[in-house]
Amino acid sequence: MKREENLNQLADSSKTWDIAVIGGGSSGLGVALDAISRGLSVILLEKADFAKGTSSRSTKLVHGGVRYLAQGDVGLVLEALKERGKLLQNAPHLTQNQPFIIPIYSWFDRAQYSIGLKIYDWMAGKLRLGKSRFISKSETVRRLPAVKQEGLKGGVVYHDGQFDDARLALAIAQTADEAGACLLNYVSVRGLLKDEDGKITGLKVRDELNQEKYTLKAKMVVNATGVFADKILQMDNPDAASMIQPSQGIHLVMDLEFLGGKDALMIPKTNDGRVLFAVPWHGKLVVGTTDTLREKAKLEPEALQKEIDFVLETAAGYLTKAPTRADVKAVFAGLRPLARPKEEGAKTKEISRSHKVIVSESNLVTLTGGKWTTFRKMGEDTVDHYQEITQELLAPSESFEMKLHGHTIQIPEGHWSVYGSDAEAIQKLAEKDEELAQKIHPDFPNILAEVVWAAREEMAVKVEDVLSRRIRMLILDAQAALDSSLKVAEIMAQELGKDSEWIEQELSDFRKVAEKYLIKA
């Protein structure tokens, strides 16, 4: 993906795009992928970096949603299980089968979870990832050495998918780009263009890096901005009611030794009625999440002290060694774009995670809700509205079968796996220039060639793009990311033709962001 080449396409004001997508998270990327699979011309605009918001801050699970099954949302679970199975086939370098263990402390729980998970297995059909089963106390302790043993009766094992969310977002963007879509990060939408009948005909946009302004024409405009959807709805109609209720979920990242083993822990009921996960991911342990209503949508939300305490206390109830604030390598917060409930007092965990597609009087198409696992289906359901808006024939969706960028049968070893078929090209850069073979940080396997690759091929233009989303150091160990920022900035400056002033500014910007990921002990 080359940003300059895509900017040149944006500069061609004579072109009319079939679909213009606002938002470069999982929803917007799903729309772009599906639209390009049907032969439509697509432009996607993201005001920050791809997956900068909620889409890089998930629990890293591609799952059907055991919790939604308990709530009786069978349709959502069936849809998610089908998408989960297909995503593991289409992006094997970015997804994997992850066994989970629910520790059982009462025989009632054994019956309840065994039956529920057998139904979950059955619903997945041919795309099932593995059979759920009850395991003895001794096997539970062997597989989860750090689990509390007092009163432990055994465990129930089940299987779900795990993934690298920001890298998957990038792979979807690259797939759409290679198929002919035009995707741009750091381009914001400043206004909607309308005809004399009040129907949307295009967008006014601005390149946030050089402040250049453009207008573009489009037959259909999609608002896929997640927690920021209300802003675009109000740009369309200043009297539009708020549709989105942001709900914050945080995750703490700590050393893997707090759990031990390769299995993930699932705590099915916390004292706020949610599920808590402790999942091995990129050599660390990700523990979360919470569900806290927030009034304002922010691009860089911060964990509240009470949320940090809640996760630590809940985890301590199940682990032999209780984690403390000092053990937390990083904390990250994300905002779920929940549909604002009609009646007051509805609990966030009860609000459906199903997605909705809404068409306004001006033909603005807004996609809200949903979850990472169903990103492709959300895109398909959104693009289905193209025919009613344009009165043009629409080809059937082909995105279900699309292999994502980097797809390979031979998954590279270690941290190289997320690059899939690109890994070899990056390793060749390091062979040609031994400086690029150096590690970015002594505690991480990533090398400087990955920074060059991110700038050249993955549209990374800021230090944060690299350290947070191209390699995941910021959310794995915030201090390590801070310590690596100068080295990354210097390599990027060489690659992007930037000066020392740019380096200073980038380091200052990155420090402000990274400090939100550090826990004050």
Side-chain angles (χ1 to χ4, degrees):
M1 284 198 304
K2 308 281 189 202
R3 192 170 187 275
E4 285 308 312
E5 287 175 19
N6 287 2
L7 268 177
N8 289 339
Q9 290 187 63
L10 175 59
D12 178 5
S13 56
S14 64
K15 176 160 186 159
T16 300
W17 300 87
D18 291 327
I19 295 186
V21 184
I22 312 170
S26 59
S27 305
L29 291 164
V31 174
L33 186 74
D34 191 74
I36 206 78
S37 85
R38 302 183 193 217
L40 298 173
S41 62
V42 190
I43 185 165
L44 177 145
L45 310 156
E46 163 55 51
K47 70 176 177 182
D49 185 28
F50 305 115
K52 154 76 178 171
T54 307
S55 297
S56 59
R57 301 156 191 266
S58 71
T59 314
K60 319 305 178 198
L61 302 181
V62 187
H63 61 127
V66 176
R67 181 161 57 91
Y68 313 134
L69 187 59
Q71 291 167 7
D73 201 340
V74 173
L76 176 62
V77 177
L78 277 170
E79 180 177 273
L81 285 169
K82 181 181 172 187
E83 294 294 323
R84 177 194 75 174
K86 198 62 186 173
L87 186 53
L88 265 73
Q89 292 174 6
N90 287 342
H93 55 307
L94 290 164
T95 57
Q96 63 193 70
N97 182 339
Q98 174 65 58
F100 285 77
I101 298 176
I102 303 174
I104 298 297
Y105 293 93
S106 78
W107 296 118
F108 174 75
D109 281 351
R110 173 184 173 171
Q112 183 185 5
Y113 298 123
S114 294
I115 293 165
L117 288 162
K118 280 278 174 267
I119 295 168
Y120 193 61
D121 289 350
W122 171 75
M123 287 170 77
K126 292 200 302 284
L127 294 170
R128 188 177 70 188
L129 301 182
K131 274 186 179 175
S132 61
R133 63 189 179 92
F134 180 77
I135 56 174
S136 65
K137 178 179 177 176
S138 60
E139 190 181 340
T140 305
V141 172
R142 181 178 63 73
R143 290 175 68 165
L144 290 179
V147 77
K148 275 228 167 115
Q149 294 183 37
E150 193 183 329
L152 185 69
K153 305 275 192 282
V156 175
V157 180
Y158 75 98
H159 295 257
D160 245 327
Q162 191 203 51
F163 76 136
D164 186 318
D165 48 11
R167 293 291 322 179
L168 181 67
L170 187 68
I172 299 162
Q174 289 168 307
T175 309
D177 183 87
E178 283 154 15
C182 174
L183 297 99
L184 284 159
N185 54 359
Y186 296 102
V187 173
S188 62
V189 171
R190 315 299 289 177
L192 306 172
L193 300 174
K194 296 184 179 180
D195 64 15
E196 58 275 14
D197 299 323
K199 302 296 185 193
I200 290 176
T201 58
L203 299 170
K204 293 183 207 168
V205 305
R206 183 175 78 186
D207 182 351
E208 292 297 316
L209 301 184
N210 64 17
Q211 309 309 308
E212 190 90 18
K213 291 179 179 169
Y214 304 89
T215 58
L216 65 94
K217 292 181 281 194
K219 297 174 189 174
M220 171 168 149
V221 170
V222 177
N223 171 15
T225 53
V227 289
F228 299 103
D230 285 339
K231 286 194 172 173
I232 306 294
L233 284 163
Q234 280 146 14
M235 200 183 273
D236 177 37
N237 171 12
D239 300 324
S242 288
M243 280 180 54
I244 303 297
Q245 170 63 70
S247 162
Q248 181 161 293
I250 74 148
H251 295 82
L252 305 182
V253 181
M254 52 194 78
D255 284 332
L256 209 44
E257 68 190 39
F258 281 96
L259 193 58
K262 292 177 181 167
D263 297 286
L265 170 70
M266 194 262 229
I267 299 165
K269 272 210 182 77
T270 63
N271 60 19
D272 79 339
R274 283 191 60 78
V275 168
L276 195 85
F277 292 104
V279 186
W281 188 73
H282 288 331
K284 300 279 185 215
L285 187 68
V286 176
V287 186
T289 181
T290 54
D291 209 336
T292 312
L293 291 182
R294 302 307 300 266
E295 267 321 298
K296 277 189 75 174
K298 285 184 180 173
L299 198 54
E300 199 55 73
E302 283 183 76
L304 303 175
Q305 296 308 320
K306 66 175 186 182
E307 291 181 295
I308 294 167
D309 293 340
F310 167 78
V311 173
L312 286 171
E313 283 162 21
T314 307
Y318 288 82
L319 302 174
T320 49
K321 184 186 171 194
T324 67
R325 298 170 84 81
D327 297 312
V328 177
K329 299 282 185 188
V331 55
F332 61 94
L335 296 173
R336 304 175 191 89
L338 301 186
R340 201 171 270 280
K342 297 278 186 287
E343 65 283 347
E344 286 300 307
K347 289 184 178 166
T348 56
K349 66 178 190 294
E350 291 162 4
I351 296 170
S352 173
R353 295 298 197 259
S354 297
H355 60 277
K356 293 183 183 68
V357 183
I358 298 135
V359 182
S360 76
E361 279 180 31
S362 68
N363 283 346
L364 176 68
V365 180
T366 298
L367 169 59
T368 65
K371 54 208 278 289
W372 237 125
T373 310
T374 54
F375 83 92
R376 190 214 60 82
K377 183 70 168 78
M378 289 155 61
E380 182 185 329
D381 291 351
T382 305
V383 177
D384 280 345
H385 289 268
Y386 181 79
Q387 203 158 319
E388 80 182 66
I389 285 168
T390 64
Q391 275 70 58
E392 292 179 18
L393 276 176
L394 181 64
S397 169
E398 302 283 341
S399 57
F400 191 64
E401 299 298 338
M402 281 176 88
K403 303 274 186 277
L404 296 185
H405 178 92
H407 181 281
T408 176
I409 305 303
Q410 296 296 118
I411 310 291
E413 293 287 311
H415 87 283
W416 293 107
S417 62
V418 296
Y419 293 104
S421 57
D422 284 343
E424 199 178 333
I426 306 168
Q427 289 159 357
K428 282 197 173 129
L429 287 177
E431 283 166 26
K432 284 186 193 144
D433 181 346
E434 58 187 40
E435 187 202 353
L436 298 183
Q438 289 177 28
K439 279 187 170 188
I440 298 170
H441 188 281
D443 296 343
F444 283 82
N446 309 85
I447 60 173
L448 291 173
E450 294 172 65
V451 181
V452 170
W453 185 263
R456 272 185 206 171
E457 305 291 340
E458 297 180 341
M459 245 190 238
V461 291
K462 295 176 81 60
V463 167
E464 185 204 330
D465 300 343
V466 173
L467 284 169
S468 180
R469 290 172 293 279
R470 303 305 182 275
I471 65 175
R472 309 306 306 274
M473 201 183 290
L474 178 60
I475 64 168
L476 291 167
D477 187 331
Q479 189 56 55
L482 267 169
D483 295 343
S484 307
S485 56
L486 175 60
K487 208 182 267 190
V488 169
E490 287 172 346
I491 292 281
M492 288 185 80
Q494 280 173 31
E495 198 54 40
L496 300 170
K498 302 293 185 184
D499 58 14
S500 57
E501 200 179 319
W502 180 87
I503 292 174
E504 286 300 310
Q505 186 60 53
E506 276 299 304
L507 293 176
S508 166
D509 291 350
F510 184 68
R511 197 171 300 114
K512 281 181 200 146
V513 170
E515 279 172 356
K516 295 180 178 179
Y517 291 70
L518 289 165
I519 279 196
K520 316 293 181 277

